[in-house]
Amino acid sequence: MNDKATASFVTAFETAGNALPGAGSWLARRRADAIKAFAQAGLPHRRLEDWKYTDLRQALDKAAFAPAPEHKGAVILPETRGAVAFAGIDAHKLVFVNGRFHEGLSDMARLPKGVELHRLADVLSEQWAKALIERRMDEARQAENIVELNTALMADGMALRIRKGVRLDKPLHLVFVAADAGASHTRNLVLLEEGTEASILESHLGGKAALADIVTDIELDADATLLHAKLQDETADSVHLSTLRATLAGKARLGSFTLTLGCGLSRAQNFIRFAGEGAHASVDGAYALRAKQHFDTFSVVDHAVPGCTSHTMFKGVLDGEAEGVFQGKVIVRPDAQKTDGRQMTQALLLSRDASMNAKPELEIYADDVQCAHGSTVGELSKDAIFYLRSRGIPDAEARRLLVLAFLDEAIELAPHEKVREIFRDLVSGWFGEAAS
Amino acid sequence: MLEIRNLHAKVDGKEILKGIDLDIRAGEVHAIMGPNGSGKSTLSYVLAGREGYEVTEGTIRFKGRDPMEMGVDERAAAGVFLAFQYPLEIPGVTTMTFLKTALNAQRKARGEEELDAVRFLKLVREKAKPLNVTDDMLKRALNVGYSGGEKKRAEVLQMSLLEPALCVLDETDSGLDIDALKTVAEGVNALRSPERAMIVITHYQRLLDYIVPDVVHVLSKGRIVKTGGKELALELEKSGYAAYGADAA
Amino acid sequence: MAAVRETVETVGEVEKYKYGFFTDIESEKAPLGLTEDTVRFISAKKNEPDWLLEWRLAAFRRWLTMTEPTWAKVSYPPIDFQDAYYYAAPKQKVKLDSLDQVDPKLLETYEKLGIPLTEQKMLAGVAVDAVFDSVSVVTTFKEKLAEVGVIFCPMSEAVQKHPELVKKYLGSVVPTSDNFYATLNSAVFSEGSFVYIPEGVRCPMELSTYFRINEKQTGQFERTLIIAEKGSYVSYLEGCTAPQRDENQLHAAVVELVALDDAEIKYSTVQNWYPGDEEGKGGVYNFVTKRGDCRGANSKISWTQVETGSAITWKYPSCILRGDNSRGEFYSIAISNGRQQVDSGTKMIHLGRNTTSRIISKGISAGKSSNTYRGLVSVHRKAENVRNFTQCDSLLIGDKCSAHTVPYIETKNPSAILEHEATTSKISDDQLFYCMQRGIGEEEAVALIVNGFCRDVLQQLPMEFAVEAQKLVGISLEGSVG
């Protein structure tokens, strides 16, 4: 440990002591190991290949987030574009304020039979929860190591288990609000048993300067389907650090889509592993950034068994001095024949000072596979702008149309028509802010 | 409607137009013919205001205004329409969205009321039908996956919908078979009116069998070297451009 | 289909490496190991000026502080740098005036390699510099080249005859501190080719160098420097072979190219170092630093490589596109069979305005080999209107091999248009069946399909070598099919 921020997390761990859930159980030992491992490695920095384009150590040293306090008094949900947009969706709702579950704002009363929804602390003694928390993917250790920080300090979160054959009647909406400044560590656990179906919406609405550290552990049994849409729209002085780890059994389906508009620095990590044949995972996203925003997508899709398909597409526009990063890897293990893995990253640079770094990797150990990746970076086509303007469309409107069309190809991949509409409106609104 | 005097223009530092004079009145159709590289497309881009086409000398007056002082979209709103030789593909923007945005942007620029979705749809369908532009085409992304003929028909549809004062058709016949050419020509002819002027740029006489011009100009090496009636086109077909100081192309 | 399965089963029978013979010739070596004395010994042998000795020593001292890079996707036991000879030269009593005085055994060696060194027998229009272990044995057509002012000679000779050029350009593209192997090379390099094309001259023939490692336990550290003055053009080709030996041999070369305004350098490599046997025993460790500097406006550097040999290849021929409107190209075929490990690719560093680059990489893995493309396309803030197109295709033959693609794409200028595409495929049973149904033998069918897969790159080779390379593609895959 050789930096302030790492030390401050260790201090936070020591201070929290028995107040964290799971004291006296297996988890206490696991947490002790985790903080030790984290302290030993320290926060990641750019000399690590998996963090080549994002210096988390420097960012957190500078921002110095203390642990977020428990919020006192009434919570007013921020009237951000995201909050307003998702408000109209009929959903079971769980609200987390400063990383802690807020019962008053939540609505999880009418869940179908067979759907078990709890706070993290309530499931810690259950084997499935333990298995998920202890699971490691180990495909990109330098990236996955940051999960140790979450394991050591996780204070709350959602645990969803759906019993065999049950379908969640309407989406589960997780809302995260930072009513006070500070760091929060959240762990979500999802187990979908055989033949189940669920949709999860996740909105990170921000509020105050905060570090949101979220790990979502997902296990999909055979034939289970999870659709996941995430909106990230936090304040410019915030840091968002999220890791999604999912294991898919035979014929399971995962569709995850993230729209990133907010946050000063965000890093979204996705680890997908196929454990049964015939499964499909689609991990896609769109982002629109400006000013000094920095967004890093890191994804690993591990085809460990034959006959699975995966799709990753991230499209983004970068204005101001924004920086975009895409690091993605598709692994096809020996014997994982008939794999179809696709990976695409495309970025539009709207300003002189924006930059983009991409590293789309393929690692292939089987011959009967179809894998492809592509990457493009460029600015708006001058010819296209001219064409639109020659039809009387003013310059700003022409640019808006082209940017939205560019992002729309990704947004098309988001689950639910309603969500796609909301995302389109949000992106359109984002563009409007630039014009004003 | 359009007066061009001694127009010189450069592209990439190279002078392409070397003193063009042209007068076009409302209701007239002028054909500009010439070999490849004579400056035909450059003239159309200069009129539309494309970046990189620099006017170094001379004047243009369009409906009494100076287009050089107007942006590309302002010129369009004022009534200049360029039918592209190679219409651009714009993935993700449906033809319908594009048409609506363009029409309403022009109406707004002229201080007219914007059309709502219902009235717009009705109008588009009405204009699309004679051009054989199907609903399916309208729903697809602009020009993406269109055949050569479909692209040109879509250009004429835009022209018909936007009702420009001056239509500039840049090699609209290129890449069309005879049936597609007829459909496009019929669409263009339907737009001929006493209030509207047209410039038909073409390499071959063929198109002029269907869109009969009032005046034919021969452009060679950046200058108009001969002007005549529609019979000039037939003459050119026989003798070629060589007689006008151009290499046969 | 059974054919492909057989392909895999018979993969062990890698064809005998036909350049695996050893020439028994008396040679003079530096003492075993690497110390400052070794560096002094090499420098003294070459009768070098003080500045060059100091340059070497500075590199050596720096090298002592460095560690081997570990980021490549290759694995091998630790190399004992003290258990190798850093200089070996066939004993020659007097200085050579003509080919007649070359040891006939050496000439025979090159005949066996298919490279006749006597000018009558040579390929028309190709000048050859032959490097045997640490020294150049002969350079052909020197006089003819001298007529137009082209200098083509061994590096050691250039140091003596053109010290001002060597001093000006040596290390100016690959600095002595660049990386572990380049620094090692700077300390102990013993031979290589030197090429200077004067302003406005189009080099009248292809220049080529054949490198041969002969001695046991000997590393080869050649250093090649090519300077193309304003408005000049040169096409250069290198070929490499080594005897079949049980222990690994180290080859750590440095190649520096400098292209000034409007100059063009085309650099082609057919690398066929001994790859080791089917169990991975022996073979050359090919750790090479190659870099071209498009220093002048409108300059162009094009790398073409056909990599079929070596146990391990670690090689990234790169272009620094400094001059406005300069262009870099990288065309590569990398074939790995047996237990070969390839980690190769390129870097295109766009610094100047309107610079363009094109990368076409074809990786073919067979047997139990591993084949990685690793590349960087980087656009700096002031580089306007950059264009890059990259295509990386991998072909897998059998299911025990692997193919990896690791591209880095970094841009800080919005006017850049960068496109990268990568695909992975195998030879389909249908394709094989179709060819075989038409009476083409399976091995030939595979070679045919693979050659088709490589066509874009093979087309880039100078005519004289394209046929040779095409055959090599076939030979390298022999034994990978049933």
Short mmCIF file of all heavy atoms in Angstrom, two decimals, chain B residues 35-85:
data_model
loop_
_atom_site.label_atom_id
_atom_site.label_comp_id
_atom_site.label_asym_id
_atom_site.label_seq_id
_atom_site.Cartn_x
_atom_site.Cartn_y
_atom_site.Cartn_z
N PRO B 35 -17.41 17.01 -71.28
CA PRO B 35 -16.68 15.78 -70.96
C PRO B 35 -16.33 15.71 -69.48
O PRO B 35 -16.49 16.70 -68.75
CB PRO B 35 -15.41 15.89 -71.82
CG PRO B 35 -15.23 17.36 -72.03
CD PRO B 35 -16.59 17.97 -72.03
N ASN B 36 -15.83 14.57 -69.06
CA ASN B 36 -15.39 14.42 -67.66
C ASN B 36 -14.29 15.44 -67.39
O ASN B 36 -13.44 15.67 -68.23
CB ASN B 36 -14.82 13.02 -67.43
CG ASN B 36 -15.91 11.97 -67.53
OD1 ASN B 36 -17.07 12.24 -67.24
ND2 ASN B 36 -15.55 10.78 -67.99
N GLY B 37 -14.36 16.03 -66.20
CA GLY B 37 -13.30 16.95 -65.81
C GLY B 37 -13.48 18.35 -66.37
O GLY B 37 -12.61 19.20 -66.21
N SER B 38 -14.60 18.61 -67.02
CA SER B 38 -14.78 19.94 -67.61
C SER B 38 -15.23 20.96 -66.56
O SER B 38 -15.14 22.16 -66.79
CB SER B 38 -15.78 19.88 -68.75
OG SER B 38 -17.02 19.37 -68.28
N GLY B 39 -15.71 20.47 -65.40
CA GLY B 39 -16.11 21.39 -64.34
C GLY B 39 -17.60 21.36 -64.06
O GLY B 39 -18.11 22.19 -63.31
N LYS B 40 -18.32 20.38 -64.64
CA LYS B 40 -19.77 20.33 -64.48
C LYS B 40 -20.18 20.17 -63.01
O LYS B 40 -20.99 20.92 -62.48
CB LYS B 40 -20.36 19.16 -65.29
CG LYS B 40 -20.09 19.22 -66.77
CD LYS B 40 -20.89 18.17 -67.54
CE LYS B 40 -20.67 16.73 -67.10
NZ LYS B 40 -19.41 16.11 -67.52
N SER B 41 -19.58 19.15 -62.37
CA SER B 41 -19.94 18.90 -60.98
C SER B 41 -19.46 20.04 -60.08
O SER B 41 -20.13 20.40 -59.11
CB SER B 41 -19.36 17.58 -60.49
OG SER B 41 -20.07 16.52 -61.07
N THR B 42 -18.30 20.61 -60.42
CA THR B 42 -17.80 21.73 -59.62
C THR B 42 -18.81 22.87 -59.61
O THR B 42 -19.09 23.46 -58.57
CB THR B 42 -16.45 22.21 -60.20
OG1 THR B 42 -15.53 21.12 -60.16
CG2 THR B 42 -15.89 23.37 -59.41
N LEU B 43 -19.38 23.15 -60.79
CA LEU B 43 -20.36 24.23 -60.86
C LEU B 43 -21.54 23.94 -59.93
O LEU B 43 -22.01 24.81 -59.20
CB LEU B 43 -20.84 24.38 -62.32
CG LEU B 43 -21.91 25.46 -62.53
CD1 LEU B 43 -21.40 26.84 -62.15
CD2 LEU B 43 -22.39 25.45 -63.99
N SER B 44 -21.99 22.66 -59.93
CA SER B 44 -23.14 22.33 -59.08
C SER B 44 -22.79 22.48 -57.61
O SER B 44 -23.59 22.96 -56.81
CB SER B 44 -23.67 20.94 -59.42
OG SER B 44 -22.75 19.96 -59.00
N TYR B 45 -21.56 22.07 -57.23
CA TYR B 45 -21.16 22.19 -55.82
C TYR B 45 -20.97 23.64 -55.43
O TYR B 45 -21.27 24.02 -54.29
CB TYR B 45 -19.88 21.38 -55.57
CG TYR B 45 -20.11 19.89 -55.53
CD1 TYR B 45 -19.21 19.00 -56.09
CD2 TYR B 45 -21.25 19.36 -54.90
CE1 TYR B 45 -19.41 17.63 -56.04
CE2 TYR B 45 -21.47 18.00 -54.86
CZ TYR B 45 -20.55 17.13 -55.44
OH TYR B 45 -20.77 15.78 -55.38
N VAL B 46 -20.47 24.45 -56.34
CA VAL B 46 -20.31 25.88 -56.02
C VAL B 46 -21.68 26.50 -55.76
O VAL B 46 -21.86 27.26 -54.80
CB VAL B 46 -19.56 26.61 -57.17
CG1 VAL B 46 -19.69 28.12 -57.01
CG2 VAL B 46 -18.10 26.20 -57.20
N LEU B 47 -22.65 26.12 -56.58
CA LEU B 47 -23.99 26.68 -56.39
C LEU B 47 -24.58 26.24 -55.04
O LEU B 47 -25.24 27.01 -54.36
CB LEU B 47 -24.93 26.23 -57.52
CG LEU B 47 -24.66 26.88 -58.89
CD1 LEU B 47 -25.53 26.23 -59.96
CD2 LEU B 47 -24.93 28.39 -58.83
N ALA B 48 -24.32 24.98 -54.66
CA ALA B 48 -24.89 24.47 -53.41
C ALA B 48 -24.07 24.91 -52.20
O ALA B 48 -24.55 24.88 -51.08
CB ALA B 48 -24.97 22.95 -53.46
N GLY B 49 -22.81 25.33 -52.45
CA GLY B 49 -22.01 25.86 -51.34
C GLY B 49 -21.18 24.82 -50.61
O GLY B 49 -20.96 24.93 -49.39
N ARG B 50 -20.71 23.84 -51.32
CA ARG B 50 -19.92 22.80 -50.65
C ARG B 50 -18.56 23.34 -50.21
O ARG B 50 -17.92 24.10 -50.94
CB ARG B 50 -19.71 21.65 -51.63
CG ARG B 50 -19.02 20.48 -50.98
CD ARG B 50 -19.01 19.29 -51.90
NE ARG B 50 -18.60 18.13 -51.14
CZ ARG B 50 -18.96 16.90 -51.43
NH1 ARG B 50 -19.74 16.67 -52.45
NH2 ARG B 50 -18.53 15.89 -50.70
N GLU B 51 -18.14 22.88 -49.04
CA GLU B 51 -16.86 23.28 -48.46
C GLU B 51 -15.73 22.84 -49.40
O GLU B 51 -15.78 21.77 -49.98
CB GLU B 51 -16.67 22.55 -47.13
CG GLU B 51 -15.87 23.33 -46.11
CD GLU B 51 -15.79 22.54 -44.80
OE1 GLU B 51 -16.86 22.20 -44.26
OE2 GLU B 51 -14.68 22.29 -44.35
N GLY B 52 -14.72 23.66 -49.53
CA GLY B 52 -13.57 23.28 -50.36
C GLY B 52 -13.70 23.75 -51.80
O GLY B 52 -12.77 23.63 -52.57
N TYR B 53 -14.86 24.29 -52.17
CA TYR B 53 -15.05 24.83 -53.52
C TYR B 53 -15.01 26.35 -53.40
O TYR B 53 -15.98 26.98 -53.01
CB TYR B 53 -16.37 24.34 -54.12
CG TYR B 53 -16.31 22.87 -54.45
CD1 TYR B 53 -16.37 21.91 -53.43
CD2 TYR B 53 -16.14 22.43 -55.76
CE1 TYR B 53 -16.27 20.57 -53.71
CE2 TYR B 53 -16.05 21.08 -56.05
CZ TYR B 53 -16.11 20.15 -55.03
OH TYR B 53 -16.00 18.82 -55.31
N GLU B 54 -13.86 26.91 -53.72
CA GLU B 54 -13.60 28.30 -53.41
C GLU B 54 -13.80 29.17 -54.64
O GLU B 54 -13.19 28.95 -55.69
CB GLU B 54 -12.15 28.40 -52.92
CG GLU B 54 -11.77 29.74 -52.36
CD GLU B 54 -10.26 29.89 -52.28
OE1 GLU B 54 -9.55 28.86 -52.41
OE2 GLU B 54 -9.78 31.01 -52.11
N VAL B 55 -14.69 30.16 -54.49
CA VAL B 55 -14.91 31.11 -55.60
C VAL B 55 -13.82 32.17 -55.50
O VAL B 55 -13.66 32.83 -54.48
CB VAL B 55 -16.30 31.75 -55.51
CG1 VAL B 55 -16.45 32.86 -56.55
CG2 VAL B 55 -17.36 30.68 -55.73
N THR B 56 -13.04 32.32 -56.57
CA THR B 56 -11.92 33.26 -56.51
C THR B 56 -12.23 34.55 -57.26
O THR B 56 -11.56 35.55 -57.08
CB THR B 56 -10.66 32.61 -57.12
OG1 THR B 56 -11.00 32.06 -58.40
CG2 THR B 56 -10.14 31.50 -56.24
N GLU B 57 -13.23 34.51 -58.13
CA GLU B 57 -13.54 35.69 -58.93
C GLU B 57 -14.95 35.56 -59.43
O GLU B 57 -15.47 34.46 -59.58
CB GLU B 57 -12.58 35.72 -60.14
CG GLU B 57 -12.04 37.08 -60.49
CD GLU B 57 -11.19 37.01 -61.75
OE1 GLU B 57 -10.29 36.14 -61.82
OE2 GLU B 57 -11.44 37.81 -62.66
N GLY B 58 -15.58 36.70 -59.71
CA GLY B 58 -16.90 36.69 -60.33
C GLY B 58 -18.03 36.75 -59.32
O GLY B 58 -17.80 36.78 -58.11
N THR B 59 -19.27 36.78 -59.83
CA THR B 59 -20.43 36.92 -58.95
C THR B 59 -21.52 35.93 -59.32
O THR B 59 -21.61 35.47 -60.46
CB THR B 59 -21.04 38.34 -59.07
OG1 THR B 59 -21.37 38.57 -60.44
CG2 THR B 59 -20.09 39.40 -58.58
N ILE B 60 -22.33 35.62 -58.34
CA ILE B 60 -23.54 34.83 -58.56
C ILE B 60 -24.70 35.59 -57.91
O ILE B 60 -24.57 36.07 -56.78
CB ILE B 60 -23.45 33.43 -57.91
CG1 ILE B 60 -22.19 32.68 -58.37
CG2 ILE B 60 -24.70 32.61 -58.23
CD1 ILE B 60 -22.02 31.32 -57.72
N ARG B 61 -25.79 35.73 -58.62
CA ARG B 61 -27.01 36.29 -58.03
C ARG B 61 -28.09 35.24 -58.18
O ARG B 61 -28.32 34.72 -59.28
CB ARG B 61 -27.46 37.57 -58.74
CG ARG B 61 -26.42 38.67 -58.84
CD ARG B 61 -26.07 39.27 -57.51
NE ARG B 61 -27.14 40.08 -56.94
CZ ARG B 61 -27.08 40.60 -55.71
NH1 ARG B 61 -26.02 40.37 -54.92
NH2 ARG B 61 -28.07 41.33 -55.24
N PHE B 62 -28.74 34.91 -57.09
CA PHE B 62 -29.83 33.95 -57.15
C PHE B 62 -31.05 34.63 -56.53
O PHE B 62 -31.02 35.02 -55.35
CB PHE B 62 -29.46 32.68 -56.37
CG PHE B 62 -30.61 31.73 -56.20
CD1 PHE B 62 -31.19 31.11 -57.30
CD2 PHE B 62 -31.13 31.47 -54.94
CE1 PHE B 62 -32.26 30.25 -57.14
CE2 PHE B 62 -32.20 30.61 -54.78
CZ PHE B 62 -32.76 30.00 -55.89
N LYS B 63 -32.09 34.82 -57.33
CA LYS B 63 -33.29 35.54 -56.89
C LYS B 63 -32.90 36.87 -56.22
O LYS B 63 -33.40 37.22 -55.15
CB LYS B 63 -34.13 34.69 -55.93
CG LYS B 63 -34.70 33.46 -56.63
CD LYS B 63 -35.97 32.92 -55.98
CE LYS B 63 -35.75 32.32 -54.61
NZ LYS B 63 -36.94 31.64 -54.10
N GLY B 64 -31.92 37.53 -56.83
CA GLY B 64 -31.52 38.83 -56.35
C GLY B 64 -30.60 38.81 -55.13
O GLY B 64 -30.15 39.85 -54.65
N ARG B 65 -30.28 37.61 -54.62
CA ARG B 65 -29.40 37.55 -53.45
C ARG B 65 -28.06 36.94 -53.83
O ARG B 65 -27.93 36.30 -54.87
CB ARG B 65 -30.05 36.70 -52.35
CG ARG B 65 -31.33 37.31 -51.82
CD ARG B 65 -32.04 36.34 -50.91
NE ARG B 65 -31.29 36.11 -49.66
CZ ARG B 65 -31.66 35.19 -48.76
NH1 ARG B 65 -32.72 34.45 -48.97
NH2 ARG B 65 -30.94 35.04 -47.66
N ASP B 66 -27.10 37.12 -52.95
CA ASP B 66 -25.79 36.55 -53.21
C ASP B 66 -25.63 35.25 -52.42
O ASP B 66 -25.47 35.27 -51.21
CB ASP B 66 -24.70 37.55 -52.77
CG ASP B 66 -23.30 37.00 -53.01
OD1 ASP B 66 -23.18 35.86 -53.53
OD2 ASP B 66 -22.34 37.69 -52.66
N PRO B 67 -25.69 34.11 -53.06
CA PRO B 67 -25.62 32.85 -52.33
C PRO B 67 -24.30 32.67 -51.58
O PRO B 67 -24.23 31.93 -50.59
CB PRO B 67 -25.77 31.77 -53.41
CG PRO B 67 -25.93 32.46 -54.71
CD PRO B 67 -25.81 33.92 -54.52
N MET B 68 -23.25 33.36 -52.05
CA MET B 68 -21.94 33.22 -51.39
C MET B 68 -22.00 33.67 -49.93
O MET B 68 -21.18 33.28 -49.12
CB MET B 68 -20.87 34.05 -52.11
CG MET B 68 -20.59 33.55 -53.51
SD MET B 68 -20.17 31.80 -53.50
CE MET B 68 -20.91 31.29 -55.02
N GLU B 69 -22.99 34.49 -49.64
CA GLU B 69 -23.11 34.96 -48.25
C GLU B 69 -24.03 34.05 -47.44
O GLU B 69 -24.32 34.35 -46.29
CB GLU B 69 -23.65 36.40 -48.24
CG GLU B 69 -22.59 37.38 -48.71
CD GLU B 69 -23.14 38.78 -48.92
OE1 GLU B 69 -24.33 39.00 -48.63
OE2 GLU B 69 -22.36 39.62 -49.38
N MET B 70 -24.47 32.97 -48.05
CA MET B 70 -25.42 32.09 -47.35
C MET B 70 -24.79 30.72 -47.12
O MET B 70 -24.00 30.24 -47.94
CB MET B 70 -26.70 31.92 -48.20
CG MET B 70 -27.43 33.23 -48.44
SD MET B 70 -28.40 33.21 -49.97
CE MET B 70 -29.81 32.26 -49.45
N GLY B 71 -25.19 30.10 -46.00
CA GLY B 71 -24.72 28.75 -45.72
C GLY B 71 -25.42 27.75 -46.62
O GLY B 71 -26.37 28.10 -47.32
N VAL B 72 -24.96 26.53 -46.58
CA VAL B 72 -25.52 25.49 -47.44
C VAL B 72 -27.03 25.35 -47.20
O VAL B 72 -27.82 25.31 -48.15
CB VAL B 72 -24.83 24.13 -47.16
CG1 VAL B 72 -25.42 23.06 -48.05
CG2 VAL B 72 -23.34 24.24 -47.37
N ASP B 73 -27.42 25.29 -45.92
CA ASP B 73 -28.83 25.08 -45.62
C ASP B 73 -29.68 26.33 -45.91
O ASP B 73 -30.83 26.22 -46.27
CB ASP B 73 -29.02 24.60 -44.19
CG ASP B 73 -28.17 25.36 -43.20
OD1 ASP B 73 -26.95 25.50 -43.44
OD2 ASP B 73 -28.71 25.82 -42.18
N GLU B 74 -29.06 27.50 -45.76
CA GLU B 74 -29.80 28.72 -46.10
C GLU B 74 -30.10 28.76 -47.60
O GLU B 74 -31.18 29.18 -48.01
CB GLU B 74 -28.97 29.96 -45.73
CG GLU B 74 -28.84 30.20 -44.25
CD GLU B 74 -27.89 31.36 -43.99
OE1 GLU B 74 -28.37 32.50 -43.98
OE2 GLU B 74 -26.68 31.11 -43.85
N ARG B 75 -29.13 28.34 -48.38
CA ARG B 75 -29.34 28.31 -49.84
C ARG B 75 -30.49 27.35 -50.16
O ARG B 75 -31.33 27.64 -51.02
CB ARG B 75 -28.09 27.83 -50.56
CG ARG B 75 -26.95 28.79 -50.43
CD ARG B 75 -25.77 28.29 -51.25
NE ARG B 75 -24.54 28.87 -50.75
CZ ARG B 75 -23.42 28.95 -51.45
NH1 ARG B 75 -23.38 28.45 -52.68
NH2 ARG B 75 -22.34 29.48 -50.95
N ALA B 76 -30.47 26.20 -49.47
CA ALA B 76 -31.52 25.22 -49.72
C ALA B 76 -32.88 25.81 -49.39
O ALA B 76 -33.83 25.66 -50.17
CB ALA B 76 -31.25 23.96 -48.90
N ALA B 77 -32.95 26.49 -48.25
CA ALA B 77 -34.22 27.08 -47.84
C ALA B 77 -34.64 28.17 -48.83
O ALA B 77 -35.83 28.40 -49.06
CB ALA B 77 -34.11 27.65 -46.43
N ALA B 78 -33.65 28.83 -49.45
CA ALA B 78 -33.97 29.87 -50.42
C ALA B 78 -34.39 29.25 -51.76
O ALA B 78 -34.85 29.96 -52.65
CB ALA B 78 -32.77 30.78 -50.62
N GLY B 79 -34.20 27.94 -51.90
CA GLY B 79 -34.72 27.29 -53.10
C GLY B 79 -33.71 26.64 -54.02
O GLY B 79 -34.04 26.27 -55.14
N VAL B 80 -32.47 26.47 -53.57
CA VAL B 80 -31.50 25.76 -54.41
C VAL B 80 -31.53 24.27 -54.04
O VAL B 80 -31.37 23.91 -52.87
CB VAL B 80 -30.07 26.30 -54.18
CG1 VAL B 80 -29.07 25.50 -55.04
CG2 VAL B 80 -29.98 27.77 -54.50
N PHE B 81 -31.74 23.44 -55.03
CA PHE B 81 -31.76 22.00 -54.76
C PHE B 81 -30.76 21.31 -55.67
O PHE B 81 -30.80 21.47 -56.88
CB PHE B 81 -33.15 21.42 -55.00
CG PHE B 81 -33.23 19.95 -54.70
CD1 PHE B 81 -33.66 19.51 -53.46
CD2 PHE B 81 -32.86 19.00 -55.65
CE1 PHE B 81 -33.73 18.15 -53.17
CE2 PHE B 81 -32.91 17.64 -55.37
CZ PHE B 81 -33.36 17.22 -54.12
N LEU B 82 -29.88 20.53 -55.08
CA LEU B 82 -28.91 19.78 -55.88
C LEU B 82 -29.25 18.29 -55.79
O LEU B 82 -29.26 17.72 -54.71
CB LEU B 82 -27.49 20.02 -55.34
CG LEU B 82 -26.38 19.15 -55.90
CD1 LEU B 82 -26.21 19.34 -57.40
CD2 LEU B 82 -25.05 19.43 -55.20
N ALA B 83 -29.57 17.71 -56.93
CA ALA B 83 -29.76 16.25 -56.96
C ALA B 83 -28.38 15.66 -57.20
O ALA B 83 -27.75 15.93 -58.22
CB ALA B 83 -30.72 15.86 -58.08
N PHE B 84 -27.90 14.86 -56.23
CA PHE B 84 -26.52 14.39 -56.25
C PHE B 84 -26.30 13.29 -57.28
O PHE B 84 -27.16 12.44 -57.49
CB PHE B 84 -26.13 13.84 -54.87
CG PHE B 84 -25.88 14.89 -53.84
CD1 PHE B 84 -26.84 15.83 -53.52
CD2 PHE B 84 -24.66 14.93 -53.15
CE1 PHE B 84 -26.61 16.80 -52.56
CE2 PHE B 84 -24.43 15.89 -52.19
CZ PHE B 84 -25.39 16.83 -51.89
N GLN B 85 -25.11 13.32 -57.84
CA GLN B 85 -24.74 12.23 -58.73
C GLN B 85 -24.65 10.92 -57.94
O GLN B 85 -25.11 9.88 -58.37
CB GLN B 85 -23.40 12.52 -59.40
CG GLN B 85 -23.03 11.47 -60.43
CD GLN B 85 -21.71 11.78 -61.11
OE1 GLN B 85 -21.06 12.79 -60.84
NE2 GLN B 85 -21.32 10.91 -62.02
#
